[in-house]
Amino acid sequence: MSTAKEILLQVQDLQVSVEGRKILNGLNLTVAAGEVHAIMGPNGSGKSTLANVLAGHPGYEVTAGSVTFRGENLLELAPEARARAGVFLGFQYPVEIPGVNNVYLLKAAVNAARKARGLEEVDAFDFLGMVREKMKIMRMDDSFLSRGVNEGFSGGEKKRNEILQMLVLEPALAILDETDSGLDIDALKIVAAGVNTLRSPERACVLVTHYQRLLDHVVPDVVHVLVRGRIARSGDKALALELERRGYDWVAGEAA
Amino acid sequence: MSTPVNALASRIAEDFAAATAAGGRGLDTRRRALRELQAAGLPGTRDENWKYANLRGLERLRFVPAPAGATAIAEGALPAALPGFSRQVFVDGRYAPALSGAAPGGVFAPLAVTAAPPGSLTLGPDQRFALLNEAFATDGALVRVPARASARLELIFLATAEAASGSSYPRLSVEVADGAHLELIERHVSAASLGSFVNGSAQLHLARGAQVRHYRLQELSARSRAFDTLGAALDQDASYRLHAIGVGGAASRSTVAVRLQGERAAVTLAQVLLGARQQVQDCFALFDHAAPRTQSEQLFRGIAASRARVAFNGKVVVAPGAAGADSRQSLRGLLAGPEAEIDVRPQLEIYTDAVRCSHGATTGKLDEQMLFYLLSRGLSRDTAQRLLKWAFLEDAVSGIELPELRRQVELALAAALEDETLKELL
Ligand SMILES: Nc1ncnc2c1ncn2[C@@H]1O[C@H](COP(=O)(O)OP(=O)(O)OP(=O)(O)O)[C@@H](O)[C@H]1O
Ligand SMILES: [Mg+2]
């Protein structure tokens, strides 16, 4: 089929345990290039678990199933290799790292990805110019440049910083875990603008969110509802609106 | 079986006799120091504040001062000069005018040529290695800053002797008069990859309102063994900031005792200790609040990698008369190797009510969440770990206000951290 889009991410029958407890229970998900998928679902249903497993967090045990990224086994890659291959996780709770400078981290991250592709390191001056441009999109203050990673950032600033990193790294697949939580209305628009900036036929985005509000600004191609460790229902944007009205019990009831 | 204590005592007595056979200046003071030392003995691992120090095999040392005559020292053995500082160099404890710059008028003099070498201050039981220094040292630095004057001085103590041929006794006596300012850099370095024995002593007195910033770097060669004892007495409104960085040596022990004897006197210690390989880095700091409204702060950051042992013991005593004292401690140790050991111990003795104290002490490994965050951005594990270690030290390094010195310190720390990462890969 000539219109077939490249499959970026394919998750099949994924089962994941944490400390012996099964959290993901046969999850399937296929994300093609150019698509935006939203994942919604009740607290504790396993959304962050999925995001973390995709990024390679060591605290989770994959007991069955497979995950491929551009056709390659993602699960056997170390977290840093996944990042360099173009997988980006925007954390639900970004950690503060006092003493590690923001710009330094950005530059080290970009250079690590370039090195993996056999490219030279970025020119420090050009790089700073590029970062400043993206900071403008995110409406971030210059003082941010000299601060430690997320150090003393407000909740909303941390989320914006995640998106800034995404903009700088230009990943093929961005997984954003509740990047919209805790944002005021203006910040939500800024974050949405950031996500839309990167939207392109080659890239894809998985948005984990509790609110359909974000989806007004970043219109998803597919909406999934994750309940008790598996996708209970998928649909288009209308599903998000319906969830807003009827809550999760409705889906959960059907899935049970 | 011979008891090591006696073996050590007789070794010291013998070497003292040899060292003083030809007479010399200040013999009375030196003899008194020896007598005090013989009466008290050197500390042993069973002593309360010495259990982490490496005190083994002292009786096999040669305590006589290393012979003079290490002739041409390559200037390359010395660290890059710091702008604005007068540099004075000591080789194996002896003043080396050929390697030194012009001395700032009236502020610096080598102890060996001064009319009256200062006698011993009253030393506590943990300062007994200073007695050993006093008994054997024949030279040193005498620093006098007159009232309301200010001075910048860099003292370099270069060790060039193998322990088998004799010991090195860096010695430093500092008197800062009323309202005077002193920025003092004290560096201990080795000329080559020697195994030297270095036993230093520094005594400081800060008069009313005096301000001293003291940067101390121990960067001796990997086979060296070092002890040092620092005592400071602070009068009213005096302020003393001590930045101490220890990265070198096979085994080192630093003893710091600061007495806040005047009202509102304030002291800050920022101590960094890095241990790699099988290094032992040990520091004991005693702050004595003896007057009202005195302030103290201890900041410790230590990293133990490979099979190293790093220890910091910070003791704060608030005397009955020291109402309104304020004391803070932030002591943190980082374990960076499966066989490494780190011990961080805060001790507080408070004999009055109206005091403010905040004390925190933690030891642990690198934060897994932080590490994963950096990995998830594509940084290699190696780089991520190094960055986090760096970040861990940041608090204790950021207080170095001299940019060039800070750069040199950062380079020394980076070298030490790198070294250890390499080691972990092997
Ligand atoms: N490290 C962990 N240790 C123990 N339990 C965990 C761990 N991580 C996740 N869990 C458990 O797994 C389940 C799913 O957690 P997860 O964070 O994936 O939920 P979520 O869907 O992201 O929820 P929320 O909407 O609240 O963010 C929860 O019951 C949680 O307590
Ligand atoms: Mg979550």
Side-chain angles (χ1 to χ4, degrees):
Chain A
M1 214 163 47
S2 61
T3 55
K5 292 177 284 184
E6 184 198 3
I7 302 294
L8 281 186
L9 179 72
Q10 182 136 40
V11 181
Q12 282 178 308
D13 188 32
L14 185 64
Q15 307 198 18
V16 172
S17 298
V18 177
E19 285 160 17
R21 204 183 120 208
K22 191 164 255 184
I23 309 292
L24 295 185
N25 194 8
L27 188 140
N28 294 295
L29 178 69
T30 304
V31 180
E35 293 179 346
V36 171
H37 288 231
I39 296 183
M40 307 183 83
N43 294 135
S45 58
K47 302 181 298 296
S48 294
T49 302
L50 173 64
N52 281 319
V53 166
L54 294 179
H57 193 291
Y60 300 86
E61 194 198 346
V62 175
T63 55
S66 67
V67 179
T68 58
F69 177 67
R70 289 181 159 150
E72 288 190 50
N73 185 352
L74 188 68
L75 297 178
E76 66 184 16
L77 294 184
E80 59 273 29
R82 300 182 193 198
R84 292 172 199 164
V87 177
F88 178 89
L89 170 62
F91 286 86
Q92 181 172 4
Y93 304 109
V95 65
E96 297 194 21
I97 316 182
V100 175
N101 177 273
N102 266 309
V103 181
Y104 185 91
L105 170 60
L106 285 173
K107 206 162 111 208
V110 166
N111 282 333
R114 289 178 67 90
K115 195 173 161 196
R117 275 180 278 140
L119 299 172
E120 270 181 30
E121 295 205 342
V122 288
D123 174 82
F125 187 78
D126 294 346
F127 179 75
L128 207 58
M130 186 268 275
V131 171
R132 283 217 159 87
E133 230 162 77
K134 316 246 158 172
M135 280 168 64
K136 249 183 243 155
I137 301 175
M138 297 316 293
R139 311 261 180 94
M140 291 169 87
D141 191 89
D142 242 24
S143 68
F144 151 88
L145 290 170
S146 56
R147 288 166 73 181
V149 174
N150 295 322
E151 188 179 0
F153 285 24
S154 74
E157 285 170 341
K158 285 180 186 164
K159 297 300 178 75
R160 271 195 254 181
N161 194 22
E162 295 291 287
I163 300 300
L164 176 75
Q165 291 181 9
M166 181 190 79
L167 291 181
V168 169
L169 288 169
E170 302 184 323
L173 174 68
I175 303 151
L176 304 179
D177 190 0
E178 294 200 29
T179 305
D180 56 332
S181 293
L183 295 181
D184 64 39
I185 300 159
D186 292 337
L188 183 77
K189 285 185 188 159
I190 293 166
V191 162
V195 176
N196 284 326
T197 304
L198 221 61
R199 216 168 163 167
S200 82
E202 301 84 51
R203 301 180 205 288
C205 184
V206 174
L207 298 172
V208 173
T209 181
H210 282 296
Y211 308 104
Q212 96 90 24
R213 230 178 26 174
L214 173 71
L215 307 180
D216 284 341
H217 301 285
V218 185
V219 182
D221 299 291
V222 193
V223 175
H224 308 276
V225 189
L226 208 166
V227 181
R228 286 194 295 272
R230 57 205 308 178
I231 304 286
R233 181 180 275 256
S234 302
D236 62 9
K237 201 195 160 235
L239 178 57
L241 291 166
E242 191 163 6
L243 286 169
E244 192 97 344
R245 268 204 325 277
R246 299 176 66 177
Y248 290 122
D249 281 352
W250 151 68
V251 187
E254 282 188 3
Chain B
M1 223 171 75
S2 67
T3 71
V5 174
N6 287 342
L8 177 56
S10 48
R11 175 93 235 184
I12 291 173
E14 238 171 73
D15 284 355
F16 184 79
T20 53
R25 301 174 54 263
L27 261 186
D28 289 348
T29 319
R30 293 175 62 188
R31 285 208 179 95
R32 197 176 61 229
L34 182 77
R35 276 196 305 276
E36 278 181 49
L37 180 64
Q38 298 290 43
L42 281 173
T45 36
R46 262 175 278 163
D47 281 279
E48 168 77 3
N49 296 313
W50 290 84
K51 64 178 174 193
Y52 298 114
N54 181 351
L55 298 166
R56 275 173 309 188
L58 291 174
E59 70 283 355
R60 290 193 297 273
L61 290 166
R62 285 274 292 153
F63 291 99
V64 289
T71 46
I73 309 284
E75 295 239 6
L78 303 176
L82 291 161
F85 280 78
S86 153
R87 169 177 280 188
Q88 306 301 325
V89 179
F90 290 78
V91 176
D92 296 323
R94 288 189 190 82
Y95 186 48
L99 295 169
S100 303
V107 170
F108 168 84
L111 277 171
V113 300
T114 52
S120 61
L121 295 178
T122 30
L123 298 171
D126 291 308
Q127 293 165 272
R128 282 171 280 170
F129 273 92
L131 290 171
L132 183 66
N133 176 288
E134 189 159 343
F136 283 94
T138 54
D139 203 348
L142 181 63
V143 180
R144 292 261 141 97
V145 190
R148 284 164 291 280
S150 65
R152 299 179 117 184
L153 198 63
E154 182 192 26
L155 301 174
I156 300 201
F157 293 94
L158 183 68
T160 72
E162 276 291 346
S165 69
S167 301
S168 169
Y169 296 99
R171 188 167 171 79
L172 172 57
S173 172
V174 179
E175 174 74 42
V176 187
D178 288 3
H181 287 230
L182 173 66
E183 278 181 284
L184 179 67
I185 298 169
E186 177 192 347
R187 299 179 85 154
H188 298 270
V189 295
S190 296
S193 56
L194 295 157
S196 304
F197 178 70
V198 180
N199 177 31
S201 168
Q203 301 294 330
L204 298 92
H205 175 232
L206 282 67
R208 230 178 151 137
Q211 293 190 22
V212 174
R213 277 181 184 270
H214 187 178
Y215 301 98
R216 271 190 130 192
L217 278 59
Q218 192 273 92
E219 304 165 271
L220 292 162
S221 63
R223 282 173 49 233
S224 292
R225 217 166 150 183
F227 288 88
D228 76 74
T229 310
L230 180 146
L234 277 60
D235 293 349
Q236 190 176 315
D237 293 310
S239 145
Y240 180 47
R241 280 187 75 98
L242 175 60
H243 290 268
I245 311 282
V247 293
S252 81
R253 155 67 185 229
S254 185
T255 305
V256 172
V258 179
R259 186 174 156 82
L260 301 159
Q261 60 192 21
E263 206 168 331
R264 291 181 302 274
V267 61
T268 298
L269 167 67
Q271 172 82 57
V272 175
L273 290 178
L274 296 190
R277 304 177 305 274
Q278 299 184 49
Q279 270 178 302
V280 180
Q281 301 276 21
D282 174 35
C283 176
F284 170 62
L286 168 67
F287 286 179
D288 196 355
H289 289 259
R293 287 178 288 285
T294 42
Q295 287 181 23
S296 75
E297 183 178 0
Q298 288 183 356
L299 190 71
F300 168 72
R301 297 291 180 264
I303 302 181
S306 292
R307 295 161 68 191
R309 199 166 79 205
V310 172
F312 183 88
N313 179 352
K315 181 169 178 178
V316 177
V317 180
V318 182
D326 185 338
S327 132
R328 278 169 292 166
Q329 257 182 331
S330 161
L331 316 180
R332 294 174 59 194
L334 181 63
L335 211 50
E339 289 176 85
E341 186 186 327
I342 193 139
D343 300 280
V344 168
R345 183 169 174 219
Q347 295 184 72
L348 254 182
E349 281 179 23
I350 301 181
Y351 300 100
T352 179
D353 289 337
V355 292
R356 262 181 305 166
C357 294
S358 69
H359 295 247
T362 59
T363 57
K365 297 185 176 170
L366 284 181
D367 185 296
E368 288 295 334
Q369 299 295 342
M370 295 185 190
L371 190 60
F372 181 63
Y373 190 90
L374 298 178
L375 295 176
S376 80
R377 298 306 180 241
L379 275 61
S380 70
R381 187 165 286 272
D382 188 49
T383 307
Q385 284 174 339
R386 229 170 323 132
L387 263 183
L388 289 177
K389 285 176 196 167
W390 199 245
F392 173 81
L393 297 174
E394 168 72 15
D395 285 350
V397 178
S398 61
I400 299 177
E401 282 175 354
L402 305 164
E404 177 55 23
L405 181 67
R406 182 167 165 180
R407 204 183 63 83
Q408 289 187 20
V409 166
E410 288 176 345
L411 285 175
L413 294 174
L417 292 177
E418 201 105 52
D419 197 43
E420 160 272 284
T421 347
L422 280 179
K423 200 85 192 169
E424 275 165 15
L425 288 175
L426 295 176

